[in-house]
Amino acid sequence: MEVQITSENFEQLKGGEQPLVVDFWATWCGPCRMVAPIISEMAEKYDGRIVVGKCDVEENEELAVEFGIRNIPTVLFFKGGAVVDKLVGAVPKQKFIDKFEALL
């Protein structure tokens, strides 16, 4: 299950025991809508092993600025509280699978 990432819960989720994947997106973004079903599927597949969240860049601009998000969708992969990988744009599902597996 995906969680909504906000400025209020981000630090807690980032510092959790499980790795964190954050999809930075916006409602008006076409490529974001293309990636959304893949993110949802990954959230279900890795439930209990990886926390998967979505962060609306318009509602949480400070997080987008903090991580230098210039293009969306941008998906950041956190482990041990630090960014260890990222994907930018509408990429094939296999790339997400590879990144999720590498995170474990």
Side-chain angles (χ1 to χ4, degrees):
M1 182 172 102
E2 298 162 294
V3 296
Q4 290 301 113
I5 304 288
T6 65
S7 300
E8 290 77 34
N9 68 0
F10 175 73
E11 286 299 323
Q12 178 185 0
L13 291 169
K14 182 178 83 166
E17 291 184 20
Q18 295 178 348
L20 173 66
V21 175
V22 181
D23 174 18
F24 288 88
W25 70 289
T27 56
W28 48 263
C29 170
C32 297
R33 288 193 298 271
M34 292 171 57
V35 166
I38 298 171
I39 295 294
S40 294
E41 184 180 330
M42 296 290 102
E44 285 184 36
K45 181 177 180 181
Y46 291 92
D47 188 36
R49 297 185 290 162
I50 297 174
V51 176
V52 179
K54 296 181 72 69
C55 181
D56 186 323
V57 295
E58 291 188 328
E59 294 177 8
N60 300 283
E61 188 176 329
E62 59 283 346
L63 284 176
V65 170
E66 179 180 344
F67 291 102
I69 305 300
R70 292 186 183 4
N71 300 303
I72 54 173
T74 292
V75 180
L76 296 183
F77 297 82
F78 294 86
K79 191 166 191 173
V83 176
V84 295
D85 212 341
K86 77 176 180 178
L87 287 172
V88 178
V91 298
K93 180 179 173 181
Q94 188 59 49
K95 289 215 180 244
F96 283 99
I97 293 169
D98 295 345
K99 301 286 185 183
F100 272 73
E101 286 295 322
L103 202 55
L104 293 175

